Amino acid sequence: MNYSATVKGKNFSFGNLRMLMAKASPRRAADELAGLAAESEVERAVAQQLLADAPLRLFIEEPLIAPERDEVSRLILEQQDTAAFVPIAGLTVGGFRDWLLADSSDLSALAPGLMPEMAAAVSKIMRNQDLIAVARRCRVTSRFRNTIGLPGRLSTRLQPNHPTDDPRGIAASILDGLMYGSGDAVIGINPATDNLENVHVLLTLLDEIIRRHEIPTQSCVLSHVTTSIELMRRGAPVDLVFQSIAGTEAANRSFGIDLAILREAKAMAESLNRGGAGNQVMYFETGQGSALSANAHHGVDAQTCEARAYAVAREFSPLLVNTVVGFIGPEYLYDGKQIIRAGLEDHFCGKLLGLPMGCDICYTNHAEADQNDMDNLLTLLGVAGCSYIMGIPGSDDVMLAYQSTSFHDALYLRQLLGLRPAPEFEDWLERMGIFDGGNRLADNRFKAPLLSNFSGLAGLPS
């Protein structure tokens, strides 16, 4: 394919498909930092036009990162289902966009045939409303102790982080979240200290809370996968195995992982059979810019590297995947506009590739963004059918020092769009007197038995 064009007498030339993809990306601080971004809006528009004319088959014929040097590239080629690819095999990237917007059928059968680079490419020539409209039709369900991702449902991760991992502080935040209907996706703690003894204490605390109150949800301490493996060997109550992942072998190596380690962890967790509704045991987080941070992007733009991480995720049939969209900082997503766009891209690509996709709608305090930007992204992702969001006390994570979404934000989105928690969790909320049966907080929920039964747990006062 010819990667060049002349516009008003000026020649624009792109050396290969990888460069064309980077130049076609919407403006992104990460790509500017990496020296990959378009130098002008005219160059970006020309690259997008050329990309729109590129055949989808080109991504099979011209891998962006050579498979002989990258296990993620090999995985992507091995994953592709040629039969599932047939309906779109003759399309260009632009034709694929038109097909996605015109077709009204279930898109789940398409996912195995798609390479992540194809999803990334089509997203680069789509407006925000296109990303929302198509993602809304991509429904993906996953199951452990409850069912996440059903139509008309919005789940939340209850994130009770504490700067010193104090069990009392964590338990208080968990109680706070449960009283607002949060926690059906997972009750998940980012440990301040990732050592075996500390993580074991936190896992035991979560397990006790869930078992004592018969909560149909799952727990996770977001420690390194090798910590989880060792704790499973020691008999710790591990529900979900967590790991941050990226879209290149070298970037994953910087996290201290490879595909073999993830396979080992998945097999161990499945063997515990701790689920009930299902046994999807993996929880992955991603974020645009992680490959750049590790100097492991191979000249591939940040958003395409992010989409490639979804190939890693889908290899392990996870219960949960979410992009921590604004967490890395303004060096990679400079302002609210870039964070909003990235969040919609990530959700679209993940869902199109068949993942149970959530989003940590967040920003750091030195970014050119504020909570109003997060309100906008929250609402847009709700319309787009996002599977789950974060629930953090006051939307302020005092351990990780960033801003996300609160328990109240989830209530707002559920009420605005008529969404409900996971069905098993919703039934529990009603039995506990926290919800009133009409998808609303009960007026007398502070008289619910959960409050009195929580007393004495982790030293909490009655």
Side-chain angles (χ1 to χ4, degrees):
M1 178 177 169
N2 181 19
Y3 300 114
S4 62
T6 300
V7 178
K8 294 184 178 181
K10 184 175 181 179
N11 183 60
F12 294 89
S13 183
F14 310 95
N16 50 41
L17 182 58
R18 181 175 63 247
M19 183 182 298
L20 182 68
M21 287 277 280
K23 300 293 186 180
S25 294
R27 187 175 182 184
R28 195 123 318 157
D31 295 335
E32 293 172 342
L33 182 63
L36 301 174
E39 296 181 4
S40 67
E41 290 302 321
V42 174
E43 185 181 31
R44 181 172 289 110
V46 172
Q48 288 174 342
Q49 183 62 59
L50 288 171
L51 182 61
D53 292 337
L56 287 176
R57 285 188 176 277
L58 197 58
F59 293 96
I60 304 173
E61 299 163 1
E62 189 179 328
L64 300 189
I65 302 174
E68 56 268 21
R69 61 189 292 212
D70 184 85
E71 71 171 358
V72 177
S73 292
R74 294 194 295 275
L75 176 68
I76 289 168
L77 292 171
E78 292 164 1
Q79 281 180 340
Q80 198 206 13
D81 185 326
T82 54
F85 183 59
V86 166
I88 59 171
L91 298 179
T92 62
V93 173
F96 183 37
R97 172 190 175 273
D98 295 342
W99 184 87
L100 286 171
L101 292 171
D103 189 79
S104 59
S105 62
D106 181 6
L107 295 173
S108 59
L110 179 65
L114 277 178
M115 297 171 64
E117 292 89 345
M118 296 173 186
V122 75
S123 76
K124 294 178 190 298
I125 62 169
M126 297 174 84
R127 295 170 58 184
N128 286 2
Q129 68 173 242
D130 299 339
L131 299 174
I132 293 167
V134 175
R136 186 174 179 84
R137 291 180 19 238
C138 300
R139 282 293 172 181
V140 184
T141 56
S142 57
R143 294 174 175 86
F144 190 73
R145 290 199 186 98
N146 58 25
T147 308
I148 298 166
L150 292 170
R153 305 281 175 170
L154 173 72
S155 295
T156 58
R157 169 188 160 190
L158 202 172
Q159 185 170 312
N161 295 346
H162 192 279
T164 64
D165 287 337
D166 178 13
R168 290 180 41 169
I170 289 170
S173 292
I174 292 173
L175 177 58
D176 187 21
L178 292 173
M179 295 301 292
Y180 284 97
S182 185
D184 50 339
V186 64
I187 303 176
I189 305 169
N190 296 90
T193 305
D194 187 356
N195 64 59
L196 292 171
E197 291 72 21
N198 184 61
V199 174
H200 200 163
V201 168
L202 298 179
L203 284 168
T204 302
L205 170 65
L206 293 177
D207 185 58
E208 181 181 356
I209 290 172
I210 289 173
R211 285 191 299 104
R212 177 187 291 193
H213 302 288
E214 300 181 333
I215 308 172
T217 191
Q218 36 282 329
S219 69
C220 185
V221 177
L222 283 68
S223 56
H224 193 269
V225 63
T226 54
T227 303
S228 298
I229 288 172
E230 180 56 32
L231 286 171
M232 284 189 285
R233 289 187 180 129
R234 297 185 183 190
V238 175
D239 286 346
L240 304 184
V241 172
F242 169 82
Q243 184 55 49
S244 294
I245 56 172
T248 72
E249 178 181 347
N252 282 325
R253 194 183 306 122
S254 76
F255 289 154
I257 63 165
D258 57 23
L259 298 177
I261 290 174
L262 295 177
R263 290 190 178 103
E264 178 185 0
K266 178 174 183 280
M268 289 184 70
E270 286 176 336
S271 70
L272 300 179
N273 290 311
R274 291 178 58 84
N279 203 27
Q280 290 174 270
V281 296
M282 303 301 285
Y283 174 19
F284 296 119
E285 284 190 341
T286 65
Q288 290 192 27
S290 58
L292 176 58
S293 292
N295 194 27
H297 56 87
H298 300 283
V300 176
D301 66 89
Q303 190 249 334
T304 302
C305 281
E306 170 74 5
R308 285 169 54 93
Y310 302 154
V312 176
R314 72 176 175 179
E315 178 70 6
F316 300 95
S317 185
L319 180 78
L320 304 169
V321 180
N322 68 260
T323 168
V324 191
V325 65
F327 181 72
I328 300 181
E331 298 82 6
Y332 298 161
L333 295 171
Y334 177 71
D335 57 16
K337 182 176 182 179
Q338 291 189 15
I339 292 171
I340 289 169
R341 173 70 191 189
L344 294 176
E345 289 169 347
D346 295 350
H347 178 255
F348 164 84
C349 288
K351 279 290 181 66
L352 197 62
L353 291 165
L355 290 175
M357 201 72 191
C359 185
D360 189 342
I361 301 161
C362 63
Y363 66 101
T364 57
N365 289 314
H366 62 309
E368 291 295 320
D370 59 27
Q371 211 64 39
N372 287 325
D373 296 309
M374 301 306 104
D375 287 348
N376 292 343
L377 180 54
L378 171 71
T379 307
L380 294 172
L381 284 172
V383 174
C386 187
S387 293
Y388 71 102
I389 61 171
M390 305 299 122
I392 297 172
S395 76
D396 182 4
D397 192 307
V398 295
M399 193 279 281
L400 292 173
Y402 80 117
Q403 310 302 313
S404 185
T405 46
S406 71
F407 308 138
H408 301 80
D409 292 327
L411 290 174
Y412 148 77
L413 200 58
R414 285 170 174 166
Q415 291 171 6
L416 179 73
L417 301 176
L419 303 173
R420 295 151 60 193
E424 302 90 342
F425 192 76
E426 182 182 32
D427 290 345
W428 178 83
L429 290 171
E430 293 177 4
R431 292 198 311 273
M432 290 292 105
I434 297 170
F435 273 23
D436 65 2
N439 195 31
R440 295 184 303 270
L441 291 176
D443 292 337
N444 62 345
R445 73 186 189 281
F446 292 112
K447 296 181 180 179
L450 182 66
L451 275 173
S452 58
N453 290 341
F454 238 79
S455 64
L457 187 63
L460 285 180
S462 58

